[in-house]
Amino acid sequence: MKLAVKFGLLVGVLFVGILFGINTAEKGMQRIEGTTDLPGKSFVIKKVEGGKMEVEVLGKQVASGVPISSGKAVTGNWLSQVGGDIRTFVIGTTRTVMEWIMSKL
């Protein structure tokens, strides 16, 4: 009985600590964003019209100057291209090695 009471007390203290931590983290995020008086969303797409987009980011209105293409997305910078090439190489090499190992079993 004594063990059950201690266990229950420990679980209660941990639960209160977790709730306190979540509340503190939420207040910290709101302070960093500066959105304590704004609605909960920090990124809202207002409207898409004729390939152009209007977005509200942290309460500031932003409009795209260039129409959004309906085709394939434009790739990022050279670093993301190199990362994609390395990813493709690692996946291909891993697949080849696994196929070789499975053929030997």
Side-chain angles (χ1 to χ4, degrees), residues 38-88:
L38 294 176
K41 295 183 179 180
S42 59
F43 179 82
V44 180
I45 297 175
K46 289 291 185 183
K47 68 177 178 178
V48 178
E49 192 173 284
K52 294 189 178 183
M53 182 184 293
E54 288 185 15
V55 180
E56 186 174 324
V57 180
L58 296 176
K60 295 181 182 176
Q61 192 77 15
V62 180
S64 67
V66 180
I68 301 169
S69 65
S70 60
K72 190 176 179 181
V74 179
T75 59
N77 58 13
W78 65 273
L79 189 59
S80 67
Q81 183 67 33
V82 170
D85 292 342
I86 291 172
R87 174 189 171 272
T88 304

Side-chain angles (χ1 to χ4, degrees), residues 2-14:
K2 218 177 189 185
L3 182 64
V5 171
K6 287 181 182 179
F7 180 76
L9 211 75
L10 181 62
V11 168
V13 168
L14 289 175

